[in-house]
Amino acid sequence: MTSRIYVALDTPDIERAKVIANRVRHHVGGIKLGLEFFMANGRHGVLEMHELGLPIFLDLKLHDIPNTVGKAIQSLRGLDPAVLTVHGAGGRAMLEDAKAAAPIDTKVVAVTMLTSLDENDLRTTGIEGSAHDQVLRLTDLAMDAGLDGIVCSGDEVAAAHKHWPKGFFVVPGVRPANGAIGDQKRVVTPRAALDAGASILVVGRPITGAEDPDMAAREIGATL
């Protein structure tokens, strides 16, 4: 069975990204490339990473008016990521246009609430209620808009999965039981996230910051 771990290559240095990807390629299911990588390397960089033969999760978290998001996704044609992110808070029309513009085999998933945020952060942006409630509101919106799934923390994935049994659930902010949480506020272990309904796990620093990234990926995979 293909690993459900996607390693987050959050670096602008494409050569470093290639080295890490090559070291862990046999013990991960894919690679995640985010804004830091994309702004430094663009389309060409993503195409170079495609040559490694691993599925690519393109984590751009697009959020703009519907027409702009739709055209931006059309501009990504040829990259054909396995997974692409947009912000659920962009609204139904934006989510619908995003899905319509994406390649047929690309899973478009809505970011619900960043794992670096908690309920105090929500209140400062004018959103009342719990993180749990906000994630479920945006889960329902993504499902109604025809997306493939959502991005949420391990704290909310069980409830989101119950709302949407056929959804595709991306869980970032995953940390091994003995791992440092860094700037994340809502984290779970990889095993707990899978047991709660995660489809794929995004793991960054516990692998990329390890002395032996391949061994770190294997150790995390062994817990699954």
Side-chain angles (χ1 to χ4, degrees):
M1 179 180 173
T2 300
S3 171
R4 288 198 268 178
I5 297 170
Y6 272 58
V7 61
L9 301 176
D10 294 323
T11 174
D13 185 342
I14 190 169
E15 295 307 319
R16 172 171 165 75
K18 287 179 181 179
V19 167
I20 295 173
N22 274 311
R23 290 185 70 178
V24 304
R25 59 180 296 118
H26 298 298
H27 297 102
V28 299
I31 56 178
K32 191 209 80 159
L33 303 175
L35 275 176
E36 187 175 356
F37 179 92
F38 193 77
M39 295 301 288
N41 301 288
R43 291 177 56 90
H44 180 70
V46 178
L47 289 171
E48 281 195 45
M49 297 303 289
H50 258 303
E51 294 176 4
L52 301 176
L54 291 168
I56 289 178
F57 171 9
L58 194 54
D59 187 24
L60 300 183
K61 297 185 180 70
L62 299 171
H63 188 173
D64 211 310
I65 64 172
N67 184 59
T68 297
V69 169
K71 288 183 176 179
I73 292 175
Q74 288 175 354
S75 298
L76 295 174
R77 290 295 175 100
L79 300 184
D80 299 331
V83 185
L84 175 69
T85 52
V86 297
H87 265 291
R92 180 165 181 157
M94 190 204 82
L95 299 180
E96 290 175 339
D97 281 12
K99 180 59 182 174
I104 191 168
D105 292 327
T106 295
K107 291 185 183 299
V108 181
V109 297
V111 175
T112 54
M113 183 174 165
L114 299 174
T115 53
S116 60
L117 303 179
D118 59 18
E119 290 168 12
N120 290 328
D121 297 307
L122 276 184
R123 283 193 289 275
T124 65
T125 61
I127 298 173
E128 296 297 329
S130 68
H132 181 273
D133 292 342
Q134 175 68 356
V135 169
L136 292 187
R137 279 193 292 267
L138 293 176
T139 298
D140 287 339
L141 179 61
M143 180 170 57
D144 291 343
L147 264 62
D148 297 283
I150 63 163
V151 182
C152 68
S153 86
D155 285 349
E156 296 92 30
V157 69
H161 186 269
K162 185 175 180 180
H163 266 239
W164 193 358
K166 295 184 179 180
F168 185 84
F169 298 97
V170 178
V171 176
V174 175
R175 294 289 185 269
N178 61 348
I181 66 172
D183 56 358
Q184 306 296 322
K185 294 182 178 178
R186 292 161 24 256
V187 301
V188 297
T189 64
R191 179 73 261 173
L194 279 188
D195 288 345
S199 303
I200 63 171
L201 310 172
V202 177
V203 185
R205 283 165 285 187
I207 293 176
T208 61
E211 185 174 339
D212 185 342
D214 183 53
M215 177 63 74
R218 281 188 284 170
E219 288 177 348
I220 293 172
T223 70
L224 307 181

